[in-house]
Amino acid sequence: MKSAILFRAGWRVFFWAAGIWAVLSMGVWSIWLAVNAAGGDAGQLGLTMSPQMWHAHEMIFGFATAALGGFFLTAVPNWTGAKAAPEAFIAGVFAIWLAGRIAVALSGVLPPALTALFDLAFLPILGAKLLTQLLRRPKPQNMMFLLLLSLVWLGDLLVHLQWMGLTGTEAQGLRGGLLAICAMIATLGGRVTPAFTRNALLRAGREDRLPVTRGPLEKAGIALPILTSASVLFGLPDLVSGLLAVGAGLATAGRLAGWQGWVLRDQPIVWALHTGYGLLALGFLVWGLSLLGLGSEIGALHILGIGAVGGMTLAVMSRASLGHSGRALIAPRAVAIGYVLVPVAVLLRWLAASFPGFYDLGVLASAVLWIVAFGLYVMALSPVFFSPRADGKAEA
């Protein structure tokens, strides 16, 4: 059965689910926005939290965590030589992720503590499984991802504590969770982007333009994003978080400058990684400046959310899906169009936040482009998720 194939590997079900949820959740949000922009009253959608906060929560702790689940369930066995998670575990942990999405959507009728229980269960169970695999060949550079997953989970916990009426930490949790995922991207993207670029340059016979890495800059490009997220999650002053974020943006940009991405501008599956990483650098910098009193914080957060998280996950999920399914590493035309649409969506959302007269049109147009980008991804790669490997090899 094709549905059974979906649970053979973590990348299959979670990369598919991330794309589906990117489209569905943004679609609901767009309809709510459109009704209100037209002068109607779309209400609360049956939620206990505001629809704005539901949207933010589901992009960070729904969409992005699905992408992380697919990545780690696939990458960690390759890093350590551990046995991949069995189909039963993958199906079970996916069901837990899905239960979290349903619980948050039904928060208007569920007790807040039960909503929290369902939503907060996914990352600890995923992390426990990853720990058993990482311990097979423990390395600090890999074990650190458990810390980053814990920071993401802490952000979600802070959100639920306010939804349960115990604290006032909703905004802190959302920002901290987003920044923790961005720290994850800074670390993972800092590995895969130069590595994949190097491979592509070698295939193209461009040994003279291989990526360059610089030790101190690489360390700063990992440490500063992590410290930025931690500063928000632990409630440090905006001045501290802002300065850390500016430093993170400059370090990230410095790393990217040495990776020779412009040499492969004819290969979308490579330049999409560089574009996402560039938007990560820009997002850190602009968000840090906003905390120092320069520019719109909401606009900056959407550079990180749409451009860095959305752009990098789209690039990594599509590449990994093609590679692990035994297909050529050439982005389908529909997916390549999606790569282009995401930065345009970033620009429109930033303009909407920066120019109030453009708000409704800019937000809706940005949302539509996001939906189209991930809709094209789902349309183009669903046959990959539901089909055996093209080369006949065992699942990897």
Side-chain angles (χ1 to χ4, degrees):
M1 293 177 60
K2 287 190 174 183
S3 58
I5 293 176
L6 193 62
F7 299 107
R8 287 183 183 174
W11 65 267
R12 289 182 179 274
V13 64
F14 280 108
F15 288 172
W16 174 76
I20 293 291
W21 195 237
V23 173
L24 288 181
S25 60
M26 189 66 78
V28 171
W29 169 239
S30 300
I31 293 170
W32 186 88
L33 282 172
V35 170
N36 285 281
D41 183 4
Q44 287 289 110
L45 301 177
L47 303 167
T48 55
M49 72 293 298
S50 72
Q52 292 93 331
M53 294 300 101
W54 172 83
H55 160 68
H57 180 273
E58 289 308 294
M59 288 294 97
I60 298 167
F61 302 111
F63 160 73
T65 60
L68 289 176
F71 180 87
F72 283 120
L73 285 171
T74 306
V76 170
N78 289 333
W79 294 344
T80 64
K83 185 178 179 180
E87 294 179 26
F89 176 85
I90 293 172
V93 77
F94 169 71
I96 292 168
W97 173 86
L98 183 60
R101 313 285 57 77
I102 295 171
V104 174
L106 296 178
S107 60
V109 297
L110 291 177
L114 188 59
T115 300
L117 177 65
F118 279 117
D119 186 46
L120 291 169
F122 172 65
L123 287 181
I125 293 172
L126 174 67
K129 181 62 178 178
L130 298 179
L131 176 61
T132 65
Q133 296 173 328
L134 288 167
L135 287 175
R136 179 180 175 90
R137 193 178 298 167
K139 294 182 179 180
Q141 63 267 35
N142 293 335
M143 299 295 288
M144 68 177 294
F145 291 116
L146 296 176
L147 168 64
L148 288 171
L149 282 176
S150 298
L151 291 178
V152 176
W153 184 85
L154 176 60
D156 202 6
L157 174 64
L158 291 174
V159 173
H160 280 285
L161 287 175
Q162 176 161 337
W163 289 354
M164 289 187 287
L166 301 176
T167 65
T169 52
E170 180 185 56
Q172 179 183 344
L174 290 171
R175 284 168 172 78
L178 172 61
L179 289 164
I181 291 172
C182 288
M184 191 87 73
I185 290 172
T187 307
L188 287 171
R191 287 189 190 183
V192 303
T193 303
F196 292 158
T197 302
R198 178 185 178 86
N199 294 341
L201 287 168
L202 289 173
R203 287 195 298 269
R206 296 302 306 269
E207 293 86 350
D208 59 321
R209 302 301 295 272
L210 297 180
V212 176
T213 57
R214 303 170 182 87
L217 194 59
E218 300 299 310
K219 293 177 181 177
I222 294 172
L224 287 171
I226 295 173
L227 290 173
T228 300
S229 65
S231 72
V232 174
L233 288 167
F234 292 103
L236 297 187
D238 283 353
L239 176 62
V240 174
S241 298
L243 291 173
L244 286 170
V246 169
L250 293 174
T252 302
R255 297 178 78 189
L256 180 64
W259 293 345
Q260 313 291 349
W262 57 87
V263 180
L264 294 167
R265 54 188 175 274
D266 60 335
Q267 296 189 33
I269 206 161
V270 178
W271 63 246
L273 294 166
H274 290 259
T275 301
Y277 211 79
L279 289 169
L280 178 69
L282 178 63
F284 274 132
L285 181 61
V286 175
W287 184 73
L289 290 174
S290 75
L291 292 193
L292 303 178
L294 300 172
S296 163
E297 186 196 7
I298 295 299
L301 288 171
H302 281 86
I303 295 175
L304 291 170
I306 301 172
V309 178
M312 281 297 284
T313 53
L314 183 62
V316 171
M317 290 191 304
S318 54
R319 181 188 181 94
S321 298
L322 293 169
H324 286 283
S325 65
R327 290 165 172 82
L329 294 175
I330 300 173
R333 182 179 296 274
V335 176
I337 292 172
Y339 295 158
V340 176
L341 293 180
V342 169
V344 180
V346 172
L347 176 61
L348 290 171
R349 188 60 183 84
W350 179 82
L351 290 171
S354 303
F355 300 96
F358 185 64
Y359 180 81
D360 288 336
L361 179 59
V363 172
L364 283 169
S366 177
V368 168
L369 290 184
W370 171 281
I371 291 169
V372 173
F374 281 92
L376 290 170
Y377 159 83
V378 171
M379 178 188 70
L381 294 183
S382 282
V384 173
F385 301 135
F386 288 90
S387 300
R389 286 182 60 103
D391 55 10
K393 294 182 180 179
E395 196 71 55

